């Protein structure tokens, strides 16, 4: 490893907080550009979706357990469960399924 | 409303957020451990960054020994939503609010803190945001540290189960807007599909890109395509506030 983990962390801290602060320093009015507004609207969901699948199936010992956790998580979130319960449901699903699958 | 009262209300609303953070950060800690972070590095990184997806993305790049510029790109892309949130938040301040208060409040922005801050009745009292920040942030950082420490102690089945907590949280963030707005739902489905296809060994072997780079490129392409096909015309502030 040729790069320092501390510098990675420092770069991450600076970039992440910069992006939080820049609009508050620069932008006085609302963004008017329709394309940029639309683009920014989709970005969070697309990023998280790309990061979640297929990674959730690779994070677990059994890919099938990860896949079923994904499906149950989607159903639970669709039915209105919030962040914490959905998270717990996914964990419990994997815990139980891997007991049988492995 | 007095500053003290708003601060206390912020702490009250920050407690459930902090508890959720602790559990999720715990699984982030496992990830960080696999990527070679020490407990102290996890604490400092989480305390000052407070971005689950962003931290996750960066920590995977540590393993890949990616360049620092790639880390900047990853941080910017995975946290682009904060740009929009802070923009929305800029409309929520009393006009005479000093710049340094605006900046400090901006640094507090996470999905959840933004959500409760933008829902604050009338102009935002920054003390409320600081209250929520003051209880939830230490729990986020502590969760990461505990995850890193526990990663090597807990049995494999528990680690495997907790590894999906973070993905569970991601799912809980992306599904409610997908239900509400069909265009988001389609974008999410396309993201799942393309992410799967591009990461197939036979394809990822030929394009030879890191996982983080794939995330950045797919995010920009799919979001830009969605913005062209179905421009978003909804309300300014209320679309990012789920959870």
């Amino acid at each position: 490893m040729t790069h320092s983990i501390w510098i990675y962390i420092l770069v991450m801290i600076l970039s992440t907080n910069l992006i939080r602060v820049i609009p508050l320093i620069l932008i006085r009015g609302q963004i008017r550009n329709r394309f940029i507004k639309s683009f920014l609207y989709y970005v969070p969901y697309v990023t998280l979706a790309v990061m979640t699948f297929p990674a959730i199936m690779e994070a677990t010992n059994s890919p099938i357990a990860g896949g079923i956790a994904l499906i149950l998580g989607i159903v639970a979130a669709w039915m209105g469960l919030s962040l914490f319960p959905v998270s717990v449901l996914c964990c419990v699903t994997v815990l139980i399924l891997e007991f049988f699958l492995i | 409303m007095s500053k003290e009262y708003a601060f206390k209300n912020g702490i009250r609303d920050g407690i459930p957020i902090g508890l959720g953070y602790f559990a999720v950060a715990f699984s982030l800690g496992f990830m960080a451990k696999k990527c070679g972070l020490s407990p102290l590095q996890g604490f400092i990184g989480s305390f000052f960054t407070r971005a689950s997806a962003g931290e996750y993305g960066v920590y995977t790049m540590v393993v890949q020994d990616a360049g620092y510029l790639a880390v900047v790109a990853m941080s910017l892309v995975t946290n682009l939503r904060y740009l929009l949130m802070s923009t929305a938040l800029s409309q929520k301040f009393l006009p005479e609010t000093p710049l340094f208060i605006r900046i400090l409040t901006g640094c507090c922005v996470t999905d959840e803190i933004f959500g409760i801050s933008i829902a604050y009745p009338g102009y935002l009292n920054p003390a409320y945001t600081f209250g929520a920040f003051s209880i939830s942030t230490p729990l986020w950082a502590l969760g990461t540290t505990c995850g890193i420490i526990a990663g090597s102690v807990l049995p494999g089945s528990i680690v495997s189960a907790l590894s999906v907590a973070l993905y569970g949280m991601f799912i809980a963030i992306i599904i409610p807007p997908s239900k509400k707005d069909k265009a988001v739902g389609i974008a999410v489905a396309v993201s799942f599909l393309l992410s799967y296809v591009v990461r197939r060994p036979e394809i990822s072997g030929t394009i030879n890109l890191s996982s983080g780079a794939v995330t950045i490129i797919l995010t920009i392409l799919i979001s830009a395509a969605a913005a062209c096909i179905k421009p978003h015309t909804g309300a300014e502030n209320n679309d990012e506030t789920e959870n």
Side-chain angles (χ1 to χ4, degrees):
Chain A
M1 197 168 283
T2 53
H3 295 85
S4 155
I5 291 186
W6 280 114
I7 297 179
Y8 277 122
I9 290 172
L10 186 69
V11 169
M12 172 179 76
I13 289 171
L14 291 178
S15 329
T16 309
N17 286 297
L18 201 65
I19 210 168
R20 289 180 169 120
V21 162
I22 282 177
L24 293 169
I25 297 174
L26 293 184
I27 304 172
R28 304 294 182 196
Q30 292 285 349
I31 296 175
R32 302 250 176 255
N33 185 298
R34 197 170 173 223
F35 176 77
I36 294 176
K37 261 172 62 180
S38 301
F39 176 74
L40 290 174
Y41 169 72
Y42 288 110
V43 158
Y45 312 119
V46 171
T47 311
L48 294 183
V50 167
M51 284 185 152
T52 300
F53 188 74
I56 191 171
M57 295 174 70
E58 289 153 11
T60 48
N61 292 329
S62 151
I64 298 168
I68 292 174
L70 172 72
I71 293 166
L72 289 182
I74 290 174
V75 171
W78 189 274
M79 283 163 42
L81 261 67
S82 66
L83 193 140
F84 190 50
V86 171
S87 243
V88 171
L89 176 75
C90 290
C91 293
V92 172
T93 303
V94 169
L95 190 67
I96 294 171
L97 285 178
E98 288 195 343
F99 183 76
F100 296 106
L101 290 171
I102 293 176
Chain B
M1 194 184 286
S2 76
K3 273 183 195 171
E4 291 76 19
Y5 187 68
F7 190 80
K8 274 182 199 158
N9 276 350
I11 290 179
R12 183 199 63 201
D13 293 350
I15 289 172
I17 293 176
L19 292 178
Y21 277 180
F22 185 86
V24 172
F26 205 80
S27 78
L28 180 69
F30 286 144
M31 248 285 309
K33 160 104 188 158
K34 281 184 206 159
C35 299
L37 271 79
S38 72
L40 180 65
Q41 286 168 334
F43 189 90
I44 300 282
S46 276
F47 191 95
F48 290 103
T49 308
R50 302 173 321 282
S52 54
E55 286 182 47
Y56 168 81
V58 169
Y59 296 155
T60 57
M61 297 182 101
V62 171
V63 180
Q64 297 155 2
D65 199 31
Y68 297 128
L69 272 180
V71 172
V72 173
M74 170 61 93
S75 298
L76 297 186
V77 170
T78 51
N79 299 310
L80 257 183
R81 64 189 186 282
Y82 295 145
L83 201 69
L84 194 63
M85 291 179 186
S86 289
T87 305
L89 211 55
S90 71
Q91 314 297 309
K92 188 84 180 158
F93 288 103
L94 272 170
E96 61 265 30
T97 308
L99 185 62
F100 80 97
I101 293 284
R102 288 171 188 257
I103 290 174
L104 280 181
T105 312
C107 286
C108 297
V109 167
T110 64
D111 296 333
E112 296 77 17
I113 303 277
F114 166 77
I116 62 170
S117 297
I118 207 77
Y120 192 84
Y123 284 113
L124 173 67
N125 189 335
Y128 174 75
T129 303
F130 297 149
F133 172 90
S134 70
I135 183 77
S136 61
T137 301
L139 284 168
W140 175 251
L142 204 64
T144 312
T145 300
C146 290
I148 292 175
I149 295 169
S152 54
V153 181
L154 291 173
S157 61
I158 302 282
V159 173
S160 181
L162 283 172
S163 302
V164 299
L166 201 61
Y167 299 114
M169 193 200 66
F170 292 168
I171 294 166
I173 292 175
I174 59 181
I175 294 305
S178 301
K179 188 180 172 186
K180 208 172 73 181
D181 182 348
K182 212 173 88 185
V184 173
I186 292 169
V188 164
V190 169
S191 303
F192 279 164
L193 183 72
L194 287 185
S195 173
Y196 178 76
V197 169
V198 173
R199 290 182 216 274
R200 296 285 299 164
E202 57 268 32
I203 293 179
S204 62
T206 47
I207 56 175
N208 197 23
L209 285 170
S210 73
S211 180
V214 168
T215 301
I216 293 169
I217 293 167
L218 283 182
T219 298
I220 291 173
L221 289 180
I222 297 169
S223 301
C228 289
I229 297 166
K230 186 80 173 61
H232 177 62
T233 50
E236 297 286 336
N237 295 349
N238 299 326
D239 296 304
E240 316 296 325
T241 57
E242 264 80 20
N243 299 308

